[in-house]
Every structure is written in C-alpha cells, then in structure tokens.
Amino acid sequence: YGFTAYSASKFALRGLAEALRMELKPWRVGVSLVLPPDTDTPLLARENVHKPVETRRISEGTALFSAEAVARATVDGMVAGQQLVGFGLDGFMLNTLTVGLLPSNSFAEGAAGLFLWPLFRLIGFGYTMYHDSICAAEARKKDGWAGAAGGDAGELKASE
C-alpha cells in the first residue's frame, strides 16, 4: 500500500529531529518536526489517482486541510518552539501518544497528555482495528492470501 516506505521515512525523520534537538539545544537552536495531514494540493490530487484502494479507504475518514492552513500552522508551531507540529485532533492525539521523552511545550500540554493518554490509547486501538479490517477486507477480495481470511499469514489458499 506504500505504508512501509512512508512509515519508515517518518520514523527516520522523527529520530533525526529528536537527535538534532538534543545536539543543537546548547546553542539555542530549535528543531520542529512537521507532520502535515492530507493537504489540498495538486500533488495530493495526482496521488489519489494512483492510491491503492486500502490507502484510499483509510484516507476517506481523515480531514483535508488547505495548503494555507497547513503553512500557517507550520510557521506558528515553529515560532512557538513546538518540537512536534501536528494538525487537527488526529495530529494532537498522535503527538500525545508518541511523544516519548520529548519535553512538553507547556505545563498544560504535559498535563493534558498525561491525563488524555489512556483515552487516546483506547481510541488508537479502535483506529488500528478499523484500518486492519479495511486491509483484511481488501485482501479477501484479492485471490490467494488465506491470512486475510483468518489463516496463517504465510499460508497461500489453494486455487479452486
């Protein structure tokens, strides 16, 4: 679906940003990692033409942001010194769940994360189950993979 390369590159950027933040902090240089959402641009329109059905179905449930809103929030987050710049409720939830050892930008953000984390984790289970069900349903439509129907992941269905 493209998630493997996409996710690996996101994790790499996250690690790079966190390491840079630690190394550049003594010189008072901030590092912000911007995690933009689906943004209404010609690039996304072209991507949607070739997007696998699984990815398209998962994306249907997400908000589409204007390029101007993404640009404004990016600049505002960087000026405010945010280490993670997310967008919308999904972005806030993902940043809260994956903050790791990054310091909070404020006491209120840290407190919110502490108290909202269990709720967001439960919501995350729901998201994961929903995304898994989409991928399994689409795999069942494709011939030859028994794992989507509940078999072992490496087991191939016999042709009928």
Side-chain angles (χ1 to χ4, degrees):
Y1 319 124
F3 284 142
T4 304
Y6 179 81
S7 295
S9 65
K10 287 285 189 186
F11 275 105
L13 288 172
R14 175 75 182 254
L16 176 65
E18 289 187 22
L20 279 173
R21 183 193 94 44
M22 291 184 337
E23 290 181 11
L24 297 175
K25 188 174 181 179
W27 290 275
R28 298 173 39 145
V29 175
V31 175
S32 296
L33 178 61
V34 180
L35 306 164
D38 279 351
T39 305
D40 191 11
T41 64
L43 178 64
L44 182 64
R46 282 193 308 274
E47 176 187 328
N48 284 336
V49 171
H50 303 288
K51 190 180 279 186
V53 66
E54 296 86 351
T55 308
R56 188 176 311 115
R57 286 187 59 199
I58 289 170
S59 295
E60 288 172 354
T62 61
L64 183 65
F65 287 74
S66 72
E68 294 79 16
V70 171
R72 174 55 38 214
T74 296
V75 170
D76 290 348
M78 292 171 69
V79 168
Q82 291 179 329
Q83 287 117 33
L84 298 175
V85 180
F87 298 82
L89 182 58
D90 285 350
F92 176 69
M93 185 176 76
L94 287 171
N95 286 352
T96 300
L97 286 172
T98 63
V99 70
L101 294 176
L102 283 175
S104 297
N105 292 313
S106 68
F107 178 78
E109 180 185 274
L114 180 66
F115 293 108
L116 291 173
W117 196 91
L119 173 64
F120 287 172
R121 186 70 175 123
L122 286 172
I123 294 169
F125 286 138
Y127 274 124
T128 300
M129 289 172 47
Y130 175 66
H131 293 168
D132 286 348
S133 72
I134 288 173
C135 294
E138 294 304 325
R140 280 192 298 273
K141 292 177 186 177
K142 299 172 185 170
D143 191 29
W145 190 58
D152 292 335
E155 179 184 332
L156 290 177
K157 286 195 309 190
S159 298
E160 294 183 23

